């Protein structure tokens, strides 16, 4: 576990930032009066997520690998971070939709049905806590793998190939 304490720290921080993002979305009205724009603006969190991965892998490079990290080491670190984020995701979803924005699902269902995006049954099946928990887990894993691979390329020590 000590070998992965940096990833655990950044996974917890990622989760806290995710909760703050949800609070921001709720505060500016993306979960009620501007719900039509929520899908577009929520994607901006991807930039925040990439930033956190860059900081996390840079931290790992500096404080664990003493400034010499291969792509493979960075990718492994990013994968562990992704697993931590995905394991914490259900807790983040629960806190978000129970305490921060408990009316989100009813608003988004009403919007989807009123705009003929989905039927009532389809919207209720998709927009609910269980569905979002599952999406959060698999989204964190899939996007985490891609992000880890790209960020590891950016953060790795140039011309260092001591593959361990």
């Amino acid at each position: 576990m000590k070998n992965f304490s940096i990833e655990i720290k950044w996974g917890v921080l990622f989760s806290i930032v995710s909760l703050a993002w949800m609070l921001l979305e709720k505060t500016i009205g993306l979960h009620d009066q501007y719900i039509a724009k929520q899908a577009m603006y929520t994607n901006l969190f991807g930039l925040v997520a990439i930033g956190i991965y860059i900081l996390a892998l840079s931290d790992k490079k500096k404080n664990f690998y003493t400034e010499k990290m291969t792509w493979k080491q960075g990718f492994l670190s990013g994968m562990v971070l992704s697993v931590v984020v995905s394991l914490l995701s259900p807790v983040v979803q629960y806190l978000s939709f129970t305490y921060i924005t408990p009316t989100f699902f009813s608003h988004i269902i009403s919007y989807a049905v009123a705009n003929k995006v989905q039927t009532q049954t389809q919207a209720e099946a998709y927009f609910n806590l269980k569905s979002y928990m599952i999406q959060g887990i698999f989204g964190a894993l899939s996007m985490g793998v891609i992000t880890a691979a790209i960020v590891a390329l950016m953060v790795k020590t140039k011309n260092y190939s001591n593959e361990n």
Side-chain angles (χ1 to χ4, degrees):
M1 277 313 242
K2 185 178 181 206
N3 288 345
F4 298 116
S5 62
I6 291 171
E7 291 84 353
I8 293 167
K9 172 183 80 173
W10 283 99
V12 169
L13 183 62
F14 188 103
S15 298
I16 292 167
V17 171
S18 297
L19 289 168
W21 184 269
M22 290 298 288
L23 184 59
L24 175 67
E25 282 191 10
K26 170 68 175 164
T27 301
I28 62 176
L30 290 174
H31 294 180
D32 41 54
Q33 68 190 74
Y34 303 118
I35 201 150
K37 298 178 187 291
Q38 190 272 341
M40 179 177 63
Y41 286 111
T42 199
N43 288 323
L44 292 175
F45 183 76
L47 298 174
V48 175
I50 291 167
I52 292 172
Y53 270 72
I54 291 169
L55 292 171
L57 268 61
S58 295
D59 186 8
K60 186 74 169 193
K61 177 182 177 181
K62 179 182 178 187
N63 296 307
F64 187 82
Y65 291 115
T66 59
E67 297 293 342
K68 292 187 177 170
M69 185 171 75
T70 65
W71 176 85
K72 184 177 175 183
Q73 290 167 328
F75 181 65
L76 175 62
S77 177
M79 291 295 300
V80 172
L81 174 57
S82 299
V83 168
V84 172
V85 170
S86 70
L87 290 173
L88 292 173
S89 179
V91 175
V92 170
Q93 299 296 325
Y94 177 79
L95 293 172
S96 294
F97 298 113
T98 303
Y99 297 105
I100 296 173
T101 182
T103 59
F104 174 78
F105 292 125
S106 62
H107 286 131
I108 194 73
I109 289 168
S110 295
Y111 172 80
V113 173
N115 289 279
K116 298 181 179 17
V117 175
Q118 294 177 317
T119 66
Q120 182 76 28
T121 304
Q122 291 169 327
E124 288 174 359
Y126 185 77
F127 297 113
N128 62 69
L129 184 58
K130 181 180 176 186
S131 173
Y132 268 49
M133 284 180 169
I134 293 167
Q135 291 175 52
I137 292 167
F138 291 106
L141 287 173
S142 62
M143 292 308 294
V145 169
I146 295 165
T147 304
I150 294 168
V151 171
L153 276 173
M154 295 167 48
V155 176
K156 76 178 180 95
T157 304
K158 309 298 181 237
N159 302 319
Y160 179 68
S161 61
N162 185 15
E163 295 289 330
N164 296 340

